Amino acid sequence: MFKVENLSFRYPKNEENTIKGINFDIKKGEIFGFLGPSGAGKSTTQKILIKLLDHYEGFIQYDGRNLVEIDHDFYEDIGVSFEMPIHFSKLTALENINFFKKLYKNHTDVEQLMKKLGLWADRNKKVGEYSKGMKIRLNFVRAMLNQPKMLFLDEPTNGLDPSNAKILKDMIKIYQKEGGTVFITSHIMSDIDELCDRVAFIVDGQIKEIDSPRNLKIKYGQRTLKVEYSEENQTKTVIFNLDDIKTNEEFIKLIREKNIETIHTGETTLEDIFIKVTGVGLHHD
């Protein structure tokens, strides 16, 4: 869907580039995660891909065409959900949606979408009276208004309770199943792990890693197996090497004879990988 080659970008007042010669592609029908600490270049890259910023160096191809040469028709193809929901607070939710609908040729079934997101009952309430979670969900409705081929989601579940976050994630998965492509940034690593086919880590304007969450966990994890078992009312722990586990007599004996409580492989979490690759902890922008 996107092919990005040697992309560099510098803001006019800055002395050095914010984006420093990055290369990546986004395959049709995949959910692509774009991760990095604050100020690493995530938002700048996204703004370039959605044509909010130009004057970049390098080459970007969208759906087989040079991005520079595509006119406003491009916006018929994409849906964008910014982290900070932007609506007209003195209008109702439905009035907001009907206003934005007029900007597009293609339209989705708004009633069905709002019902799925639990907003239809409050459609005639002013957006200024909406909770943060409701505004975030309305933002997603707006991103889906024009039946986009490609979705850009910035922190889509940040501020949602677990049940509404699950509804949104399920809708993203359905969108993908129906052929949609997604570019997503988030600080919630469990969401990235659950949704993304591949993730890229950007640090100081450069991409440090691109791979599937599973492959990254194997690469950065340890080849160990931790077994916790109970003995004499105490929990005891033994760690085995995964490579010789099938011939390890102590492991086989333990499994046969003890009351096993938990078994965990030494694979790491995406959160740990984020910290290792970027050198910084997770901070919310």
Side-chain angles (χ1 to χ4, degrees):
M1 201 67 167
F2 270 99
K3 188 172 188 175
V4 176
E5 292 177 350
N6 204 24
L7 176 66
S8 294
F9 181 85
R10 181 168 63 86
Y11 287 100
K13 290 179 182 174
N14 290 6
E15 286 184 12
E16 64 172 70
N17 286 355
T18 300
I19 308 294
K20 301 168 182 172
I22 62 174
N23 298 281
F24 65 93
D25 58 44
I26 302 168
K27 296 175 172 59
K28 275 188 184 174
E30 86 170 331
I31 299 178
F32 185 85
F34 204 64
L35 312 177
S38 300
K42 296 191 305 293
S43 296
T44 301
T45 304
Q46 180 163 312
K47 283 173 185 168
I48 291 168
L49 293 183
I50 62 177
K51 289 175 73 75
L52 284 185
L53 287 176
D54 49 19
H55 301 303
Y56 56 82
E57 290 175 15
F59 176 72
I60 302 173
Q61 186 174 290
Y62 167 74
D63 203 13
R65 295 186 292 162
N66 186 341
L67 188 64
V68 173
E69 294 167 4
I70 306 173
D71 60 17
H72 285 293
D73 285 350
F74 176 68
Y75 295 108
E76 294 290 337
D77 270 18
I78 68 166
V80 182
S81 175
F82 295 105
E83 184 186 358
M84 297 302 292
I86 302 162
H87 306 288
F88 299 110
S89 57
K90 291 184 179 178
L91 298 182
T92 68
L94 204 53
E95 284 168 344
N96 266 277
I97 291 306
N98 286 334
F99 172 82
F100 289 112
K101 252 173 89 171
K102 289 172 187 168
L103 301 173
Y104 299 108
K105 293 172 192 166
N106 294 325
H107 302 131
T108 190
D109 183 337
V110 169
E111 182 177 343
Q112 187 189 21
L113 196 54
M114 288 182 79
K115 278 179 176 171
K116 278 181 187 169
L117 285 160
L119 292 173
W120 188 245
D122 293 302
R123 66 191 179 277
N124 295 319
K125 189 187 267 191
K126 284 184 180 176
V127 172
E129 297 166 23
Y130 268 26
S131 67
K132 187 186 176 191
M134 290 166 82
K135 285 176 185 172
I136 290 164
R137 283 179 276 150
L138 190 62
N139 224 25
F140 186 77
V141 173
R142 209 176 99 185
M144 295 287 281
L145 267 183
N146 54 325
Q147 298 180 310
K149 288 186 196 171
M150 171 100 201
L151 262 185
F152 290 87
L153 303 175
D154 189 11
E155 303 284 352
T157 63
N158 194 13
L160 293 181
D161 61 63
S163 58
N164 278 315
K166 186 182 184 308
I167 290 167
L168 198 65
K169 286 185 281 189
D170 287 345
M171 289 181 74
I172 294 166
K173 288 174 193 166
I174 290 165
Y175 171 79
Q176 181 192 24
K177 251 188 203 140
E178 291 172 351
T181 307
V182 184
F183 178 96
I184 182 170
T185 64
S186 179
H187 282 100
I188 302 169
M189 291 296 122
S190 56
D191 287 358
I192 293 291
D193 202 358
E194 185 183 337
L195 291 169
C196 292
D197 299 297
R198 287 188 305 142
V199 296
F201 286 92
I202 184 168
V203 184
D204 192 26
Q206 296 174 309
I207 288 180
K208 299 290 185 186
E209 282 281 8
I210 298 185
D211 214 330
S212 68
R214 183 180 183 274
N215 287 349
L216 287 168
K217 284 188 209 167
I218 291 168
K219 178 178 175 179
Y220 285 91
Q222 295 171 315
R223 300 278 301 157
T224 57
L225 191 74
K226 184 168 90 170
V227 182
E228 292 182 331
Y229 64 96
S230 59
E231 192 172 71
E232 297 167 359
N233 292 328
Q234 285 185 313
T235 297
K236 298 193 174 177
T237 302
V238 190
I239 294 173
F240 298 97
N241 187 324
L242 206 54
D243 293 317
D244 62 6
I245 198 84
K246 58 178 175 280
T247 56
N248 189 311
E249 294 297 333
E250 187 193 347
F251 171 74
I252 293 162
K253 189 168 184 275
L254 188 72
I255 295 294
R256 282 200 181 122
E257 297 176 6
K258 304 293 182 187
N259 294 319
I260 307 299
E261 289 181 344
T262 66
I263 296 179
H264 295 286
T265 53
E267 72 173 36
T268 187
T269 63
L270 263 189
E271 200 150 307
D272 289 335
I273 295 166
F274 182 101
I275 292 163
K276 271 183 192 167
V277 172
T278 66
V280 288
L282 286 167
H283 301 291
H284 291 277
D285 282 327

